[in-house]
């Protein structure tokens, strides 16, 4: 595997995983709907952040020196996606 592909692999995996999680939620909306309202909003916000950052990281977008740049970094992206994925899979 050449170096260019090796650098793009984490981005492609983040994009693929965010897409998979979005499709799971489209096919099974009861995962979020079945939660009590005080827990639904934080999970919804975590999902928006995790999927948004996953798509942005996968597309190669960067935040420069902005405050949110650490979340667009590879580690921040994967942590948010992992936490949200575990919560969704636990609810399935």
């Amino acid at each position: 595997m050449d170096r260019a592909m090796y650098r793009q692999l984490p981005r492609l995996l983040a994009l693929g995983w965010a897409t998979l999680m979005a499709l799971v939620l489209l096919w099974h909306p009861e995962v979020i709907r079945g939660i009590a309202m005080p827990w639904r909003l934080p999970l919804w916000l975590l999902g928006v952040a995790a999927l948004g950052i996953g798509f942005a990281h996968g597309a190669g977008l960067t935040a420069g020196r902005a405050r949110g740049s650490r979340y667009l970094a590879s580690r921040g992206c994967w942590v948010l996606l992992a936490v949200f994925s575990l919560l969704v899979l636990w609810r399935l």
Side-chain angles (χ1 to χ4, degrees):
M1 189 179 302
D2 66 347
R3 290 176 92 55
M5 181 59 184
Y6 183 72
R7 286 187 309 216
Q8 295 299 326
L9 190 61
R11 290 183 177 178
L12 292 174
L13 288 175
L15 184 62
W17 191 255
T19 303
L20 180 67
M21 293 308 301
L23 289 174
V24 165
L25 290 173
L26 283 173
W27 284 325
H28 300 288
E30 66 272 3
V31 170
I32 302 290
R33 193 180 307 146
I35 299 173
M37 188 57 84
W39 292 101
R40 190 181 309 172
L41 183 61
L43 185 62
W44 186 81
L45 291 174
L46 176 66
V48 167
L51 295 180
I53 289 171
F55 284 125
H57 182 71
L61 300 177
T62 60
R65 297 263 185 217
R67 183 176 166 191
S69 64
R70 66 178 167 201
Y71 297 114
L72 281 175
S74 184
R75 181 175 291 150
C77 171
W78 285 110
V79 167
L80 283 176
L81 277 173
V83 168
F84 182 67
S85 299
L86 289 174
L87 288 172
V88 168
L89 292 175
W90 176 64
R91 290 287 302 161
L92 281 178

